[in-house]
Structures are given as C-alpha cells and as structure tokens.
Amino acid sequence: SGDGFDPSKRKFQVENMSVGGSERRKPAEIDDDEKMSLISNATRMNLSRSSFIKVSASVVTLSTIMGARSSHAYNSQPSSQTSTTITSLRSKNYNAPPIILAKDDGTPTKTMSETETLLETISGFVSGATLVATKTLFKYPLDTATVRLQIPNTSYGLTNLFELFEGSYRGISSVLVSNIPAGAVFFAIKDFTKSFLRQSSIGGDAMPKWLITCIAVGVAQPPYWLVRNPSEVVKTRQQAGVEGYIRSIDDDGEDSGEVNAIDAFRRVLFDSKDGDFGDGVKDLYSGYWENILYAYPADVIKFLCYEKLSGGSGAPPAPLQAAVYGATSTAFAQFLTTPLDVVRNRIMANATTKRVVVGDDVGGNDNSAPLVGKESIVDSLQRVAREEGLSGLFAGVSPRIGKALISGAIQFATYEETKKSIRKSFQKMV
C-alpha cells in the first residue's frame, strides 16, 4: 500500500503495524536489511491469507459437486463411512416427488435404474387397470355402434339411432373381466420396457425417444391380446348380432331368453364347427394376429402424437391439457386405422359361423353376411376395397372417432395423475 513508503528516500515507515506477532512500533526510519525482512514477512502473510481463501473456495465447490452427484444417485456404490446419509432420486417426471433410495449404513440398496424401473412397472400396472375400467364403461355404447356399422350388409344405420344403440351394453361384463387385467399387463410391460431402455446402454441418449416408444408398444401388444382376445371375440359376436349369441334356443326350438356372457363363452368353446373343445379354444383366439396388426399402429400413432403435442418433456401437462392432447391424438390414430378395425371385427364375428344375423330377420329377409373369417387381413382389405370402396373401409368411422375422443381424454387425463399418486405412496412406504 502507499502508507509508510517514501520512494524518494527509499525508506520505510512503520505505523501501528505488527508483523508476525511483534510489538507495535512508532514511525521511524529503518535500514535496508530490516526493510527486506519486513517485505518478506508481509509477503508470506498475504500469500497465506490468499491461499486460505482459495483452498476454502475449492473445498466448498468440491462438496457441492459431490452432494449433487449423491442427490441424483449417480454413484451406486455403498459408502464405507459409518454415518447414515440419505440418497434420493428425482424421476424424469419432474412433478413427481423425489424417492428415497437407500441409507449409507450398510443396508442393501437398489440402484437408480432398478428402483425407477420397478416403480414404472407398478405404477403402470395400477394406472392401466384403473383407466381401462373407466374407459370401457364410458365408450362401450359407441364401440357397439361401431361394430354394428362395420358388419357387411348390416341393417343398422345412423338414421335410426335408437336401433343402433339398443342393447349397446350387451356383453360388457366379460369385457370388464378381461380388459382390466389386460390393460394392467399392457401398461406395466410398456412402462417397464421404456424405463429399461432409457436406463440401459443400448437405449438412453443412443436411442431416440420415438424408437423407444415403438419398441415398448410392440413388446406389450402380444401379452395384452393374449389376455383380452377371448372376451373380444365374444363381445364382437354379441354386439354384431351373430346367430346364437343374442337369443338362446332350446332343443324344442323355443326361445329361452338372452344369452349371457358365460353362455356365450360356452358356445364358443363347445359349439364350434367340429364340436371339439380344442377348436373352441382356437376360436377364442380367432383374429389374434389381426388384433395386434391393428392395435400396434394405432397405439404407436397415439402415443407419438401425444408426446409431440405435450412437448415430450419429463413433466406431464395439466390434466385438462392432457385430456385435449389425448383426445386429439387418439381420434387421429383411430381414424387412420379404421380399415384395419373393419377387417379384424369381421374376422372375429364370422370365424365360426356361415351367416351373421344383423337384423331381426323378420319375414324371411336375408340380412345375413357371408363368411369371411378365413381370409388373411391383406385379402380382406383388398376385397372390402374392391367390393365396397372407401365407404366399406371406413364403415363406422363416426362413432369410432366419438369413442376415441372420450377414450383418449380419459386415458391421458387420469393416467399421469394416477401414476403421480402411486409415486407419492411409494415414497411414504420407503
């Protein structure tokens, strides 16, 4: 500093200063040897203070970095210290609360990827079962109307809505019994696969999000239809009015009342063409591959459109926004895949019968449809396009879009909220 230094006299004055613990001295002139000693002591003291500040700053920075790594659970190795510390993670769903992973006190722990994958699987299972039950109850009448309009030579039409929706909840009990576990299986496997691919070396940043979604949906489809297909066959035949699935006729030819879900399943199993039980089981899975070929593109388009509309970020949109995005995405996907839906419904409805009764058939009017159940999906598409044109390929598109709007809104508005609630419950348990 400028205090005490006279450059013209090359002398130092020391005023009220103590160096290295020495006593204070009055201003005085000192010789060159003592001057050099004071300079050396003052320099060492300034360097010591500067070094202390730098070292302290480095320690604080290092602690912050290590703390951040610990809070994100990047280091999965157990600590060798005996003190207990809490390790937590925050999901890619930024609205979800952090989840306690482990304690560094020797207790066995799960890594971040294991815990996240397990949580995604459990939440997907419960959320899938919940939303499928809700969707089925709301959209079932429109689903019935869609099937009735898609059957060839049908007597149903949009001009007579009372007849179109009459008995529209027929067969819903079997659908609920199978669709709820099927939906749980689908979303559990889909969410497990997505989480696994995001955390693994083959996925993550190396694989685009749209490809992860496509793979996850594809993996979930076969087990989903393995559970759902039998009830889908029975439901379709009851909705379409297949002979023997609406009214039961006894041995004397008398009407014995409506056919319930159990009787419908029994009819499929034991009243096949050859009367063999094995053929009946096979009939329950008629249209299995057609269902997968229809559902895969429909679900992929739906989920990709939703991710695009919602921005694809980790934080899910608000329930109202999710409902709008979900309804739009589902309606678009269902419209594009209507021809595949027409074919699969006709195959399931006609797999074991030669005629499909589509009206009351009063007065001998032949309102039945020819057998098309043994055609492949490609042959069926070509035949429908050739014989019926676009109107046949897009039969039932109006109620189909209507049920898609309801289904998509319910699914995406409730799914993320349900998963968030499950995450909070999981945090409390751990």
Side-chain angles (χ1 to χ4, degrees), residues 97-416:
I99 301 163
I100 303 302
L101 281 183
K103 292 185 177 181
D104 260 349
D105 57 356
T107 303
T109 64
K110 289 183 178 293
T111 64
M112 173 185 176
S113 60
E114 290 174 341
T115 303
E116 180 68 13
T117 301
L118 175 62
L119 181 56
E120 284 294 307
T121 304
I122 295 174
S123 61
F125 185 90
V126 178
S127 301
T130 303
L131 73 90
V132 166
T134 307
K135 285 196 311 180
T136 301
L137 290 172
F138 278 94
K139 73 173 186 176
Y140 198 81
L142 290 171
D143 187 47
T144 299
T146 300
V147 172
R148 289 173 175 176
L149 292 173
Q150 290 177 347
I151 298 301
N153 302 322
T154 180
S155 63
Y156 295 104
L158 294 174
T159 56
N160 191 342
L161 295 180
F162 179 79
E163 181 185 14
L164 180 63
F165 286 99
E166 183 181 8
S168 56
Y169 275 98
R170 184 181 294 124
I172 192 174
S173 57
S174 63
V175 173
L176 288 173
V177 169
S178 66
N179 280 16
I180 291 176
V185 168
F186 175 82
F187 283 97
I189 295 177
K190 179 183 75 71
D191 290 352
F192 167 83
T193 306
K194 289 184 69 173
S195 179
F196 175 80
L197 290 176
R198 284 197 301 260
Q199 303 293 342
S200 66
S201 58
I202 62 175
D205 296 333
M207 187 178 293
K209 290 181 63 177
W210 66 265
L211 183 56
I212 292 178
T213 299
C214 292
I215 294 174
V217 172
V219 171
Q221 288 292 343
Y224 170 69
W225 285 105
L226 189 66
V227 178
R228 178 179 171 180
N229 206 90
S231 70
E232 191 73 5
V233 170
V234 172
K235 177 207 74 156
T236 302
R237 294 179 185 179
Q238 288 193 304
Q239 288 175 328
V242 174
E243 186 178 3
Y245 288 86
I246 303 300
R247 309 294 300 182
S248 178
I249 306 298
D250 59 23
D251 295 336
D252 298 330
E254 298 293 334
D255 186 349
S256 57
E258 287 193 0
V259 176
N260 57 36
I262 297 177
D263 291 336
F265 271 101
R266 187 182 295 113
R267 181 176 179 83
V268 176
L269 288 173
F270 298 105
D271 292 350
S272 60
K273 289 187 300 180
D274 299 328
D276 185 73
F277 179 80
D279 288 339
V281 174
K282 184 178 178 181
D283 289 339
L284 283 175
Y285 284 92
S286 60
Y288 174 78
W289 293 109
E290 287 79 9
N291 282 327
I292 293 177
L293 291 175
Y294 146 75
Y296 178 73
D299 283 339
V300 166
I301 295 171
K302 174 177 67 176
F303 286 115
L304 291 182
C305 286
Y306 178 78
E307 290 176 2
K308 184 68 176 178
L309 291 174
S310 61
S313 61
L320 182 59
Q321 285 182 312
V324 174
Y325 296 156
T328 303
S329 302
T330 306
F332 179 66
Q334 294 293 298
F335 173 79
L336 292 181
T337 56
T338 297
L340 295 173
D341 189 52
V342 170
V343 170
R344 77 172 186 113
N345 280 330
R346 292 187 180 185
I347 289 176
M348 287 189 295
N350 293 301
T352 60
T353 58
K354 294 184 177 181
R355 314 296 288 182
V356 177
V357 179
V358 294
D360 291 336
D361 199 16
V362 179
N365 296 323
D366 189 5
N367 294 327
S368 57
L371 174 68
V372 295
K374 296 307 178 182
E375 290 181 330
S376 69
I377 189 169
V378 175
D379 292 337
S380 296
L381 282 171
Q382 291 176 344
R383 184 183 57 78
V384 173
R386 183 176 60 254
E387 296 179 0
E388 304 176 45
L390 286 176
S391 61
L393 289 173
F394 285 88
V397 69
S398 297
R400 182 171 165 78
I401 291 179
K403 74 171 183 176
L405 292 172
I406 297 174
S407 173
I410 294 174
Q411 174 176 334
F412 289 97
T414 61
Y415 185 66
E416 292 296 343

